[in-house]
Amino acid sequence: MNTMQGAKTARWPRWATWGAAAWSLAYGGLGLFWAYGGAGFPFGEGDVPDARAESFLGTATAAGTAPVIAGLGLAGALLAVAMTRDWSGAAMARGRSGEGVGRRWGGVARVAMLVPAWAMAFLLVVLVPDARIMTAVGYAPIFLVGLPFGWPDANYFELGFPWPVVNMLICLAGGLLWAGAALAVTRRSAGACQSCGRTDGHAAHWSTPAGAARWGRWAAYTAFAVPLFYSVVRWAWALKIPLLFSEEGIRWLHETGMAWAGAGLATFGAVGGVLTLGLVRPWGEVWPRWVPVLAGRPVPRKLPLGAAGAVTAILASAGAVAVRVTDWTDPSSWLVSPMAYWPVWAVALGLATLAYYYRTRPACQRCGLGVR
C-alpha cells in the first residue's frame, strides 16, 4: 500500500455510521411512542388526507406500522454499531476500526451488513418521502421572489412544510446517513480507501476521468432535456395552449392560479437543467467570466457535488411516486406525461453527478492514490 496511506484517516465513515446508529435508535423510539398512542404519527391516517394516495405509506396506521418502525429502528441501530467494527480478521492500517485502509473481506458478514444497510438507505431516501419535498423546494424561489409583493397570498411554511413533510425530511436525512454508512462498509470490505474508494489495483476504465467524461456527458444532457420538456409543457398551459392537456383543464388551472405557479416552478426546473450542464462543461470547474467577483476562480468541488446530490435525492422520491401512480399499461398516456420522466431525470442527474465526481477527483491525501 502507498506510503502516504497513514498520513490521514477518513473521519466521515465513523460519523456517518454512528450517526445512522443514533438516528435509527431515536426514530425507533418515536415508533415506540406512536405505538403506545403518542400523538403525531405522520403516515397514513396521520397524514394530509389529499396526499395519502401518492404516499408509499398511505394506508399505514399507528397501531400496525409504529411497532414495525420501532423494531426496524432498534435493528438498524444494532446493525450500524456492528458496521463500525473491522470484520476482516486483521487490524486496520491505523489500528482503529472504521478508518484508514483495511484488508479485503467478504462472505456472510459482508452480505449481512451491506444488503440491509443499502436497503435502509433506499427505503428512507426513495420510498418513504414523496413528491411533496420536491414541490416545497421548487416553490420556495417563487415565494421568495413574491414576498415583497405579498404574492402568493399564502403561508409558505404551513403549505409546504406541515409535520408529515418535515418528517419526510427527517427520514431523508436518516437515509443519507445510512447511504454514507453503507458506502463506507462497501469500500472497507473491498479493501479500498474509505475516503476516495480507490484500490491499489488497476482502475476500471469507466471510473477514470476520460471514461467518466464520456458517459457523464450523455447523463448530463439527458438530465438537461427532461426538465426542459416539462418547462415547455407548463408554459404552454400558462399561455392557454392545451398542449398534452384538455381545454377544461387549462381553464381550471387559470381559475385556481395554478397555471402561473406551475410555469414558475417549471422555469426554475429548466434553470436547474441548464446548471446540470456544468457537470460536464468547463464552467462547472472554473467560474465563468460573467459571474461577478468569482470569475476565473476554481469552483469548490463540493458545491456542485452537494447541490446535485441533494437534488438527485429529492428527485428520486418524486420519481418513485411517478412510478407508483402512472398507468404503465397505457403508453399513449404516459409517453406524453412530463411526470412519467421524473425517474429518468433522477437517474440521469445521479449518474452525471457521479461522473463529475470521478472526472474531478484529485489525488487522495489519505491513501496517496491517484497521483498523476
PDB file of all heavy atoms in Angstrom, residues 86-109:
ATOM      1  N   ASP A  86     -14.189  -3.861  12.546  1.00  0.00           N
ATOM      2  CA  ASP A  86     -13.408  -4.422  11.451  1.00  0.00           C
ATOM      3  C   ASP A  86     -13.645  -5.929  11.419  1.00  0.00           C
ATOM      4  O   ASP A  86     -13.275  -6.631  12.357  1.00  0.00           O
ATOM      5  CB  ASP A  86     -11.921  -4.112  11.656  1.00  0.00           C
ATOM      6  CG  ASP A  86     -11.045  -4.839  10.643  1.00  0.00           C
ATOM      7  OD1 ASP A  86     -11.572  -5.211   9.578  1.00  0.00           O
ATOM      8  OD2 ASP A  86      -9.860  -5.026  10.930  1.00  0.00           O
ATOM      9  N   TRP A  87     -14.260  -6.409  10.341  1.00  0.00           N
ATOM     10  CA  TRP A  87     -14.578  -7.828  10.218  1.00  0.00           C
ATOM     11  C   TRP A  87     -13.624  -8.543   9.266  1.00  0.00           C
ATOM     12  O   TRP A  87     -13.914  -9.647   8.806  1.00  0.00           O
ATOM     13  CB  TRP A  87     -16.017  -7.991   9.718  1.00  0.00           C
ATOM     14  CG  TRP A  87     -17.023  -7.498  10.711  1.00  0.00           C
ATOM     15  CD1 TRP A  87     -17.476  -6.219  10.846  1.00  0.00           C
ATOM     16  CD2 TRP A  87     -17.686  -8.260  11.720  1.00  0.00           C
ATOM     17  NE1 TRP A  87     -18.378  -6.120  11.871  1.00  0.00           N
ATOM     18  CE2 TRP A  87     -18.534  -7.372  12.431  1.00  0.00           C
ATOM     19  CE3 TRP A  87     -17.651  -9.598  12.099  1.00  0.00           C
ATOM     20  CZ2 TRP A  87     -19.332  -7.784  13.488  1.00  0.00           C
ATOM     21  CZ3 TRP A  87     -18.459 -10.010  13.148  1.00  0.00           C
ATOM     22  CH2 TRP A  87     -19.275  -9.113  13.835  1.00  0.00           C
ATOM     23  N   SER A  88     -12.475  -7.932   8.988  1.00  0.00           N
ATOM     24  CA  SER A  88     -11.536  -8.550   8.054  1.00  0.00           C
ATOM     25  C   SER A  88     -10.674  -9.622   8.706  1.00  0.00           C
ATOM     26  O   SER A  88      -9.978 -10.360   8.039  1.00  0.00           O
ATOM     27  CB  SER A  88     -10.624  -7.476   7.449  1.00  0.00           C
ATOM     28  OG  SER A  88      -9.790  -6.926   8.445  1.00  0.00           O
ATOM     29  N   GLY A  89     -10.673  -9.657  10.021  1.00  0.00           N
ATOM     30  CA  GLY A  89      -9.825 -10.615  10.709  1.00  0.00           C
ATOM     31  C   GLY A  89      -8.432 -10.087  10.937  1.00  0.00           C
ATOM     32  O   GLY A  89      -7.567 -10.812  11.398  1.00  0.00           O
ATOM     33  N   ALA A  90      -8.204  -8.835  10.572  1.00  0.00           N
ATOM     34  CA  ALA A  90      -6.895  -8.217  10.771  1.00  0.00           C
ATOM     35  C   ALA A  90      -7.088  -6.774  11.176  1.00  0.00           C
ATOM     36  O   ALA A  90      -8.100  -6.174  10.878  1.00  0.00           O
ATOM     37  CB  ALA A  90      -6.065  -8.294   9.485  1.00  0.00           C
ATOM     38  N   ALA A  91      -6.125  -6.218  11.878  1.00  0.00           N
ATOM     39  CA  ALA A  91      -6.234  -4.827  12.322  1.00  0.00           C
ATOM     40  C   ALA A  91      -6.198  -3.896  11.134  1.00  0.00           C
ATOM     41  O   ALA A  91      -5.558  -4.166  10.132  1.00  0.00           O
ATOM     42  CB  ALA A  91      -5.077  -4.493  13.272  1.00  0.00           C
ATOM     43  N   MET A  92      -6.895  -2.779  11.279  1.00  0.00           N
ATOM     44  CA  MET A  92      -6.893  -1.773  10.228  1.00  0.00           C
ATOM     45  C   MET A  92      -5.530  -1.080  10.206  1.00  0.00           C
ATOM     46  O   MET A  92      -4.747  -1.171  11.139  1.00  0.00           O
ATOM     47  CB  MET A  92      -8.001  -0.745  10.473  1.00  0.00           C
ATOM     48  CG  MET A  92      -9.397  -1.343  10.563  1.00  0.00           C
ATOM     49  SD  MET A  92      -9.903  -2.123   9.028  1.00  0.00           S
ATOM     50  CE  MET A  92     -10.202  -0.676   8.032  1.00  0.00           C
ATOM     51  N   ALA A  93      -5.274  -0.380   9.099  1.00  0.00           N
ATOM     52  CA  ALA A  93      -3.961   0.235   8.920  1.00  0.00           C
ATOM     53  C   ALA A  93      -3.610   1.188  10.046  1.00  0.00           C
ATOM     54  O   ALA A  93      -2.467   1.279  10.468  1.00  0.00           O
ATOM     55  CB  ALA A  93      -3.914   0.978   7.579  1.00  0.00           C
ATOM     56  N   ARG A  94      -4.621   1.898  10.587  1.00  0.00           N
ATOM     57  CA  ARG A  94      -4.357   2.851  11.653  1.00  0.00           C
ATOM     58  C   ARG A  94      -4.660   2.278  13.036  1.00  0.00           C
ATOM     59  O   ARG A  94      -4.536   2.978  14.029  1.00  0.00           O
ATOM     60  CB  ARG A  94      -5.205   4.109  11.446  1.00  0.00           C
ATOM     61  CG  ARG A  94      -4.819   4.910  10.221  1.00  0.00           C
ATOM     62  CD  ARG A  94      -3.560   5.697  10.443  1.00  0.00           C
ATOM     63  NE  ARG A  94      -3.763   6.760  11.411  1.00  0.00           N
ATOM     64  CZ  ARG A  94      -2.809   7.532  11.878  1.00  0.00           C
ATOM     65  NH1 ARG A  94      -1.569   7.351  11.478  1.00  0.00           N
ATOM     66  NH2 ARG A  94      -3.064   8.495  12.740  1.00  0.00           N
ATOM     67  N   GLY A  95      -5.109   1.028  13.043  1.00  0.00           N
ATOM     68  CA  GLY A  95      -5.405   0.405  14.319  1.00  0.00           C
ATOM     69  C   GLY A  95      -6.734   0.819  14.912  1.00  0.00           C
ATOM     70  O   GLY A  95      -7.017   0.540  16.067  1.00  0.00           O
ATOM     71  N   ARG A  96      -7.574   1.519  14.105  1.00  0.00           N
ATOM     72  CA  ARG A  96      -8.887   1.939  14.596  1.00  0.00           C
ATOM     73  C   ARG A  96      -9.922   1.465  13.599  1.00  0.00           C
ATOM     74  O   ARG A  96      -9.827   1.746  12.411  1.00  0.00           O
ATOM     75  CB  ARG A  96      -8.962   3.463  14.723  1.00  0.00           C
ATOM     76  CG  ARG A  96      -7.999   4.024  15.739  1.00  0.00           C
ATOM     77  CD  ARG A  96      -8.031   5.537  15.712  1.00  0.00           C
ATOM     78  NE  ARG A  96      -9.358   6.025  16.055  1.00  0.00           N
ATOM     79  CZ  ARG A  96      -9.698   7.307  15.988  1.00  0.00           C
ATOM     80  NH1 ARG A  96      -8.823   8.207  15.586  1.00  0.00           N
ATOM     81  NH2 ARG A  96     -10.913   7.686  16.314  1.00  0.00           N
ATOM     82  N   SER A  97     -10.957   0.762  14.089  1.00  0.00           N
ATOM     83  CA  SER A  97     -11.975   0.247  13.184  1.00  0.00           C
ATOM     84  C   SER A  97     -12.712   1.403  12.540  1.00  0.00           C
ATOM     85  O   SER A  97     -12.987   2.408  13.170  1.00  0.00           O
ATOM     86  CB  SER A  97     -12.966  -0.641  13.951  1.00  0.00           C
ATOM     87  OG  SER A  97     -13.670   0.111  14.905  1.00  0.00           O
ATOM     88  N   GLY A  98     -13.060   1.250  11.257  1.00  0.00           N
ATOM     89  CA  GLY A  98     -13.828   2.245  10.542  1.00  0.00           C
ATOM     90  C   GLY A  98     -12.983   3.328   9.921  1.00  0.00           C
ATOM     91  O   GLY A  98     -13.515   4.241   9.318  1.00  0.00           O
ATOM     92  N   GLU A  99     -11.667   3.298  10.036  1.00  0.00           N
ATOM     93  CA  GLU A  99     -10.840   4.344   9.469  1.00  0.00           C
ATOM     94  C   GLU A  99      -9.702   3.721   8.670  1.00  0.00           C
ATOM     95  O   GLU A  99      -9.378   2.552   8.804  1.00  0.00           O
ATOM     96  CB  GLU A  99     -10.263   5.249  10.558  1.00  0.00           C
ATOM     97  CG  GLU A  99     -11.336   5.990  11.328  1.00  0.00           C
ATOM     98  CD  GLU A  99     -10.747   6.960  12.322  1.00  0.00           C
ATOM     99  OE1 GLU A  99      -9.512   7.031  12.445  1.00  0.00           O
ATOM    100  OE2 GLU A  99     -11.522   7.651  12.989  1.00  0.00           O
ATOM    101  N   GLY A 100      -9.075   4.550   7.868  1.00  0.00           N
ATOM    102  CA  GLY A 100      -7.908   4.104   7.125  1.00  0.00           C
ATOM    103  C   GLY A 100      -8.251   3.152   6.003  1.00  0.00           C
ATOM    104  O   GLY A 100      -9.358   3.107   5.503  1.00  0.00           O
ATOM    105  N   VAL A 101      -7.280   2.353   5.568  1.00  0.00           N
ATOM    106  CA  VAL A 101      -7.452   1.381   4.503  1.00  0.00           C
ATOM    107  C   VAL A 101      -7.228   0.003   5.090  1.00  0.00           C
ATOM    108  O   VAL A 101      -6.173  -0.272   5.656  1.00  0.00           O
ATOM    109  CB  VAL A 101      -6.447   1.640   3.352  1.00  0.00           C
ATOM    110  CG1 VAL A 101      -6.652   0.627   2.241  1.00  0.00           C
ATOM    111  CG2 VAL A 101      -6.612   3.053   2.833  1.00  0.00           C
ATOM    112  N   GLY A 102      -8.196  -0.849   4.979  1.00  0.00           N
ATOM    113  CA  GLY A 102      -8.089  -2.168   5.590  1.00  0.00           C
ATOM    114  C   GLY A 102      -7.906  -3.271   4.577  1.00  0.00           C
ATOM    115  O   GLY A 102      -7.705  -3.027   3.390  1.00  0.00           O
ATOM    116  N   ARG A 103      -7.977  -4.505   5.035  1.00  0.00           N
ATOM    117  CA  ARG A 103      -7.853  -5.659   4.157  1.00  0.00           C
ATOM    118  C   ARG A 103      -9.223  -6.053   3.644  1.00  0.00           C
ATOM    119  O   ARG A 103     -10.250  -5.833   4.282  1.00  0.00           O
ATOM    120  CB  ARG A 103      -7.225  -6.822   4.927  1.00  0.00           C
ATOM    121  CG  ARG A 103      -5.793  -6.538   5.370  1.00  0.00           C
ATOM    122  CD  ARG A 103      -5.231  -7.699   6.145  1.00  0.00           C
ATOM    123  NE  ARG A 103      -5.249  -8.940   5.356  1.00  0.00           N
ATOM    124  CZ  ARG A 103      -4.834 -10.110   5.816  1.00  0.00           C
ATOM    125  NH1 ARG A 103      -4.368 -10.209   7.053  1.00  0.00           N
ATOM    126  NH2 ARG A 103      -4.870 -11.171   5.058  1.00  0.00           N
ATOM    127  N   ARG A 104      -9.227  -6.645   2.453  1.00  0.00           N
ATOM    128  CA  ARG A 104     -10.469  -7.096   1.848  1.00  0.00           C
ATOM    129  C   ARG A 104     -11.101  -8.208   2.679  1.00  0.00           C
ATOM    130  O   ARG A 104     -10.410  -9.086   3.190  1.00  0.00           O
ATOM    131  CB  ARG A 104     -10.177  -7.600   0.426  1.00  0.00           C
ATOM    132  CG  ARG A 104     -11.401  -8.040  -0.353  1.00  0.00           C
ATOM    133  CD  ARG A 104     -10.967  -8.646  -1.675  1.00  0.00           C
ATOM    134  NE  ARG A 104     -10.252  -7.682  -2.474  1.00  0.00           N
ATOM    135  CZ  ARG A 104     -10.815  -6.867  -3.357  1.00  0.00           C
ATOM    136  NH1 ARG A 104     -12.124  -6.896  -3.525  1.00  0.00           N
ATOM    137  NH2 ARG A 104     -10.088  -6.026  -4.065  1.00  0.00           N
ATOM    138  N   TRP A 105     -12.386  -8.152   2.821  1.00  0.00           N
ATOM    139  CA  TRP A 105     -13.099  -9.227   3.499  1.00  0.00           C
ATOM    140  C   TRP A 105     -14.460  -9.410   2.853  1.00  0.00           C
ATOM    141  O   TRP A 105     -14.985  -8.532   2.192  1.00  0.00           O
ATOM    142  CB  TRP A 105     -13.230  -8.981   4.994  1.00  0.00           C
ATOM    143  CG  TRP A 105     -13.797  -7.633   5.398  1.00  0.00           C
ATOM    144  CD1 TRP A 105     -13.108  -6.474   5.534  1.00  0.00           C
ATOM    145  CD2 TRP A 105     -15.149  -7.331   5.723  1.00  0.00           C
ATOM    146  NE1 TRP A 105     -13.941  -5.466   5.928  1.00  0.00           N
ATOM    147  CE2 TRP A 105     -15.198  -5.957   6.061  1.00  0.00           C
ATOM    148  CE3 TRP A 105     -16.326  -8.091   5.783  1.00  0.00           C
ATOM    149  CZ2 TRP A 105     -16.382  -5.324   6.434  1.00  0.00           C
ATOM    150  CZ3 TRP A 105     -17.496  -7.460   6.153  1.00  0.00           C
ATOM    151  CH2 TRP A 105     -17.529  -6.100   6.475  1.00  0.00           C
ATOM    152  N   GLY A 106     -15.014 -10.562   3.018  1.00  0.00           N
ATOM    153  CA  GLY A 106     -16.289 -10.839   2.359  1.00  0.00           C
ATOM    154  C   GLY A 106     -17.073 -11.893   3.107  1.00  0.00           C
ATOM    155  O   GLY A 106     -17.009 -11.989   4.326  1.00  0.00           O
ATOM    156  N   GLY A 107     -17.793 -12.732   2.372  1.00  0.00           N
ATOM    157  CA  GLY A 107     -18.562 -13.788   2.993  1.00  0.00           C
ATOM    158  C   GLY A 107     -19.863 -13.318   3.590  1.00  0.00           C
ATOM    159  O   GLY A 107     -20.431 -12.286   3.227  1.00  0.00           O
ATOM    160  N   VAL A 108     -20.352 -14.065   4.573  1.00  0.00           N
ATOM    161  CA  VAL A 108     -21.655 -13.824   5.178  1.00  0.00           C
ATOM    162  C   VAL A 108     -21.704 -12.471   5.863  1.00  0.00           C
ATOM    163  O   VAL A 108     -22.707 -11.748   5.770  1.00  0.00           O
ATOM    164  CB  VAL A 108     -21.989 -14.953   6.176  1.00  0.00           C
ATOM    165  CG1 VAL A 108     -23.303 -14.659   6.891  1.00  0.00           C
ATOM    166  CG2 VAL A 108     -22.072 -16.291   5.453  1.00  0.00           C
ATOM    167  N   ALA A 109     -20.636 -12.105   6.559  1.00  0.00           N
ATOM    168  CA  ALA A 109     -20.628 -10.836   7.295  1.00  0.00           C
ATOM    169  C   ALA A 109     -20.836  -9.658   6.357  1.00  0.00           C
ATOM    170  O   ALA A 109     -21.596  -8.729   6.654  1.00  0.00           O
ATOM    171  CB  ALA A 109     -19.316 -10.676   8.059  1.00  0.00           C
TER     172      ALA A 109
END
